[in-house]
Amino acid sequence: MSNLKKEILSLLDRERFISGQNIADMLGVSRTSVWKSIKALKEEGYSIESVTNKGYHLKNPPAYVNPTALSMLISQSSLFDRVEYFNTTPSTQKEAFSMLPESNDTFVVVAEEQTEGRGRFDRHWDSPGRRGVYISLVLRPDIPISDIIRFNLFISLAIAESIDEAFGVETGIKWPNDIYIHGKKVCGFLTEVVSESGVINAIVCGIGINIFKDDTVGKIPTAISVEEAAGSHVYMDLDLFMKTFMGNIEVYYNRFLNEPFSRIRQDWIEKSVIFGRQLRITESGGTFHGRALDITEAGFLEVLDDDGNIRKVISADVEL
Amino acid sequence: MSNLKKEILSLLDRERFISGQNIADMLGVSRTSVWKSIKALKEEGYSIESVTNKGYHLKNPPAYVNPTALSMLISQSSLFDRVEYFNTTPSTQKEAFSMLPESNDTFVVVAEEQTEGRGRFDRHWDSPGRRGVYISLVLRPDIPISDIIRFNLFISLAIAESIDEAFGVETGIKWPNDIYIHGKKVCGFLTEVVSESGVINAIVCGIGINIFKDDTVGKIPTAISVEEAAGSHVYMDLDLFMKTFMGNIEVYYNRFLNEPFSRIRQDWIEKSVIFGRQLRITESGGTFHGRALDITEAGFLEVLDDDGNIRKVISADVEL
């Protein structure tokens, strides 16, 4: 049943109109099976029209990460073995961590809603139902743990470029863990690692993106949604976004494994919002002001502080 | 009650003989309380004699890690906030991981028995009841994740020296994760790390030491217990061992935070069993033969393989 839904969705995506009989013939199933699958897809949120003498027609994809479309993407992915889908969950990151010991699989955890979404330093991340993308990626590279710091640099470019490409906006990367639009946060991500004796056992990368306008997120003065930034003329196609996103994750993850940061350094710096302005930086040791000079090969931020000292920062709150 | 037990144990440890009345007077409690605590300590395994006209006398400490003695040690430790004690548990490492999200505490998890003890690569580690030390240390240094690889080098010296000092044997370190006596494994340890965005959130270091002769462990041809190695003339004092061990962990952990590996390099190499002999090394990429040349500052093993190439190894099976 699940495979049939995917195949039908794939046909609907390819053809403007296709009859139920044609679908049944092409997939070698009964018309009743086709009808049942179409009904299930509609219940999942797809707007499928039935036009007399023409057949079925996919009007537009659903306004949330659709499980059928996602499992199609994952089945084509060379990175991930499987997907875990939740209508609601405390946190995709928490789910991912609890599944780690079960196998050595790579997988993605996606939820329509998180009740306890969190960002860095255990800060709350609003995750209202069907208003955003809430996803955790579980990857298992066979590399020394010291290589992980560069991961965020590669992955932040993948996320930022995906949002730009799919929704026609222009994001900026706020080192170390946020994506911004118009000076406000549209996305936060968090890379957690479990390692064993100096070697990575699993990377668990949680990503939250505010996609649609929402009352909860809308009340936060420092937050913005893609929809607000894109304007009402842009059609918010989450299937397209997820396709772009999974593709970019694959590209940038492979680059992370095979290339030094210097190969993406220029792209990253151009996409960054922290250069050329006064920053307020809070580390566990305290707060200071300064200007970003560079990102080192290992992923440390180099800052010229107001006393003229060059400081290397690895994990910090950066305020513009 | 728990505090009273500790205080009585401390008095018994200091004095050769001490009367119940004296204990009651010194601690400002009733004789009944003293009697009850002594009874409880006996039930925990302490051999406390009552000699007429002389008073109580501590014959010898129990042949397992005693919860009262351990909590005394931890209360004096500057590294750990608390101790979690289990008579039996699947694995101290598993318990430690499940407790991580509850707080930012540092703590130790100790069990008299593990039913699912495991070493590297999820290999089983036999942990029969009251036959060994099974402990996980949870530490929370505020350092970049890239610093962690050196941790094992410092901690292996701490463990090896503690076994030597407390039991009068001579151990050797088998890089990366074992302690050997007479060419057989007496201890394995496993350092797992949880990190967030390039910074360590927690180090969870699990250590299993075969202390007493045991039928299960005794059947493994590559394993040995401290008792077998020490010989029957050595009195196996686990209280003394734990005192030595906790002290050494504190010393070497502080050195790990503040010193480069070069400061302990010579000590480490002298304690190592891998130099000057042919090694068989299995990595995820395959197996090769060679000789150890050095350990790098970061903790990688440098090997001259039989084809004359110098290889750097980070996580591997090393066979002598």
Side-chain angles (χ1 to χ4, degrees):
Chain A
M1 176 65 173
S2 177
N3 268 334
L4 184 55
K5 277 199 298 185
K6 279 187 229 172
E7 286 169 30
I8 292 175
L9 200 58
S10 171
L11 285 176
L12 288 170
D13 206 36
R14 220 169 60 198
E15 313 282 337
R16 203 164 144 64
F17 287 97
I18 184 165
S19 72
Q21 188 61 55
N22 271 0
I23 296 174
D25 290 348
M26 288 173 85
L27 303 179
V29 296
S30 71
R31 285 218 44 182
T32 313
S33 301
V34 172
W35 180 81
K36 277 186 185 163
S37 295
I38 297 250
K39 188 162 169 276
L41 285 168
K42 281 181 179 173
E43 279 159 11
E44 281 185 19
Y46 282 95
S47 173
I48 300 170
E49 271 188 328
S50 173
V51 180
T52 318
N53 294 329
K54 283 184 161 181
Y56 291 114
H57 168 62
L58 183 61
K59 270 177 73 181
N60 46 50
Y64 62 99
V65 178
N66 180 271
T68 306
L70 181 63
S71 71
M72 277 169 72
L73 281 177
I74 296 298
S75 68
Q76 291 152 11
S77 158
S78 67
L79 280 192
F80 298 104
D81 298 321
R82 61 190 172 91
V83 57
E84 299 284 343
Y85 194 93
F86 294 87
N87 295 116
T88 183
T89 180
S91 129
T92 58
Q93 204 71 351
K94 212 171 182 174
E95 296 285 357
F97 265 88
S98 74
M99 292 169 191
L100 286 185
E102 289 165 19
S103 72
N104 277 312
D105 276 10
T106 55
F107 55 97
V108 303
V109 181
V110 175
E112 292 176 22
E113 177 191 56
Q114 295 183 119
T115 54
E116 296 166 21
R118 65 187 168 85
R120 286 202 306 157
F121 313 120
D122 260 328
R123 288 171 189 158
H124 182 69
W125 181 270
D126 278 311
S127 315
R130 299 192 169 187
R131 301 278 86 191
V133 170
Y134 318 120
I135 187 165
S136 289
L137 314 173
V138 177
L139 294 158
R140 300 190 184 258
D142 188 20
I143 57 173
I145 197 166
S146 44
D147 288 355
I148 189 62
I149 303 182
R150 291 179 304 113
F151 178 85
N152 265 13
L153 302 176
F154 283 84
I155 229 62
S156 58
L157 258 186
I159 303 170
E161 289 183 0
S162 302
I163 298 174
D164 293 359
E165 284 169 42
F167 301 117
V169 292
E170 196 179 334
T171 57
I173 298 170
K174 178 164 159 288
W175 183 92
N177 284 86
D178 300 320
I179 311 290
Y180 267 49
I181 302 181
H182 303 158
K184 294 179 175 188
K185 196 189 287 196
V186 71
C187 164
F189 59 100
L190 177 70
T191 302
E192 295 181 288
V193 168
V194 179
S195 90
E196 187 180 296
S197 301
V199 171
I200 288 173
N201 179 277
I203 296 178
V204 185
C205 180
I207 302 161
I209 312 173
N210 307 324
I211 301 285
F212 297 103
K213 280 182 203 159
D214 174 77
D215 288 346
T216 321
V217 177
K219 273 181 198 135
I220 305 170
T222 54
I224 195 170
S225 65
V226 176
E227 193 177 28
E228 283 172 272
S232 54
H233 63 285
V234 173
Y235 176 62
M236 303 292 294
D237 184 341
L238 264 187
D239 277 4
L240 173 66
F241 171 72
M242 287 304 291
K243 198 178 276 180
T244 312
F245 174 76
M246 295 306 298
N248 279 336
I249 291 290
E250 195 154 333
V251 168
Y252 278 96
Y253 179 70
N254 285 324
R255 296 188 70 175
F256 157 68
L257 292 182
N258 298 306
E259 296 178 9
F261 172 56
S262 56
R263 291 285 289 276
I264 64 157
R265 183 174 172 278
Q266 204 49 47
D267 289 347
W268 193 92
I269 285 178
E270 277 167 26
K271 203 83 186 123
S272 168
V273 296
I274 59 169
F275 291 93
R277 54 207 295 181
Q278 186 70 0
L279 307 175
R280 182 186 148 92
I281 293 171
T282 305
E283 289 183 296
S284 57
T287 297
F288 66 96
H289 294 82
R291 281 172 169 263
L293 293 177
D294 204 353
I295 298 279
T296 71
E297 188 66 32
F300 287 72
L301 182 66
E302 265 184 4
V303 182
L304 179 66
D305 73 16
D306 286 358
D307 296 331
N309 308 307
I310 294 177
R311 301 198 190 203
K312 276 193 188 182
V313 183
I314 172 67
S315 172
D317 252 6
V318 177
E319 291 163 83
L320 304 175
Chain B
M1 177 64 172
S2 179
N3 268 333
L4 185 55
K5 278 199 298 188
K6 280 187 227 173
E7 286 168 29
I8 291 174
L9 201 56
S10 171
L11 285 176
L12 288 170
D13 207 37
R14 221 170 58 199
E15 312 281 336
R16 203 165 144 63
F17 287 97
I18 183 165
S19 73
Q21 189 61 55
N22 270 0
I23 295 173
D25 291 347
M26 288 172 86
L27 303 179
V29 296
S30 70
R31 286 219 44 182
T32 313
S33 301
V34 171
W35 180 81
K36 279 185 184 163
S37 296
I38 298 250
K39 187 162 171 275
L41 285 168
K42 281 181 178 171
E43 279 160 11
E44 281 184 19
Y46 282 95
S47 173
I48 300 170
E49 273 188 328
S50 173
V51 180
T52 318
N53 293 329
K54 282 183 162 182
Y56 291 113
H57 167 63
L58 184 60
K59 269 178 75 181
N60 47 50
Y64 62 98
V65 178
N66 180 270
T68 306
L70 180 63
S71 72
M72 276 170 74
L73 280 177
I74 296 297
S75 68
Q76 290 153 11
S77 158
S78 68
L79 281 191
F80 298 104
D81 298 322
R82 63 192 170 90
V83 57
E84 300 283 344
Y85 193 93
F86 293 88
N87 295 114
T88 184
T89 180
S91 130
T92 58
Q93 204 71 351
K94 211 171 183 174
E95 295 286 357
F97 265 88
S98 75
M99 291 169 191
L100 286 185
E102 289 165 19
S103 72
N104 278 310
D105 276 11
T106 55
F107 55 96
V108 303
V109 182
V110 175
E112 293 175 22
E113 176 190 57
Q114 297 183 118
T115 53
E116 297 166 20
R118 64 185 169 87
R120 286 202 306 158
F121 314 118
D122 259 328
R123 288 172 189 157
H124 182 69
W125 182 268
D126 277 311
S127 315
R130 299 192 169 188
R131 301 277 88 189
V133 170
Y134 318 120
I135 188 166
S136 289
L137 314 173
V138 177
L139 294 158
R140 300 191 184 258
D142 188 19
I143 57 173
I145 197 165
S146 44
D147 288 355
I148 190 62
I149 303 182
R150 290 180 304 115
F151 178 85
N152 265 15
L153 302 176
F154 284 85
I155 230 61
S156 59
L157 257 186
I159 302 169
E161 289 183 359
S162 303
I163 298 174
D164 293 359
E165 285 169 40
F167 301 116
V169 292
E170 196 179 335
T171 57
I173 298 170
K174 180 163 158 289
W175 183 91
N177 284 86
D178 299 322
I179 311 289
Y180 267 48
I181 301 181
H182 302 157
K184 294 180 174 187
K185 197 189 286 196
V186 73
C187 164
F189 59 101
L190 178 71
T191 301
E192 295 181 286
V193 168
V194 179
S195 90
E196 187 180 297
S197 301
V199 171
I200 289 174
N201 179 276
I203 296 178
V204 185
C205 180
I207 302 161
I209 313 173
N210 306 326
I211 301 285
F212 297 103
K213 279 182 204 158
D214 174 77
D215 288 345
T216 321
V217 177
K219 274 181 197 137
I220 306 170
T222 54
I224 194 170
S225 65
V226 176
E227 193 177 28
E228 282 172 273
S232 54
H233 63 285
V234 172
Y235 175 62
M236 303 292 294
D237 185 341
L238 264 186
D239 277 3
L240 172 66
F241 171 72
M242 287 303 291
K243 197 179 275 182
T244 312
F245 173 75
M246 294 306 298
N248 280 336
I249 291 290
E250 195 154 332
V251 167
Y252 278 96
Y253 179 69
N254 285 324
R255 296 187 72 176
F256 157 68
L257 292 181
N258 299 306
E259 296 177 10
F261 172 56
S262 56
R263 293 286 290 276
I264 63 158
R265 182 173 173 280
Q266 204 47 47
D267 289 346
W268 193 92
I269 286 178
E270 277 168 25
K271 202 83 187 124
S272 168
V273 296
I274 59 171
F275 291 94
R277 52 208 295 181
Q278 186 71 358
L279 307 175
R280 182 185 147 92
I281 293 170
T282 306
E283 289 183 296
S284 57
T287 296
F288 66 96
H289 294 81
R291 281 172 169 262
L293 293 177
D294 204 353
I295 297 280
T296 72
E297 188 67 32
F300 288 71
L301 181 66
E302 265 185 3
V303 182
L304 180 67
D305 73 16
D306 287 357
D307 297 330
N309 307 306
I310 294 178
R311 300 197 190 203
K312 275 193 189 184
V313 182
I314 173 66
S315 173
D317 252 6
V318 177
E319 290 162 86
L320 303 175

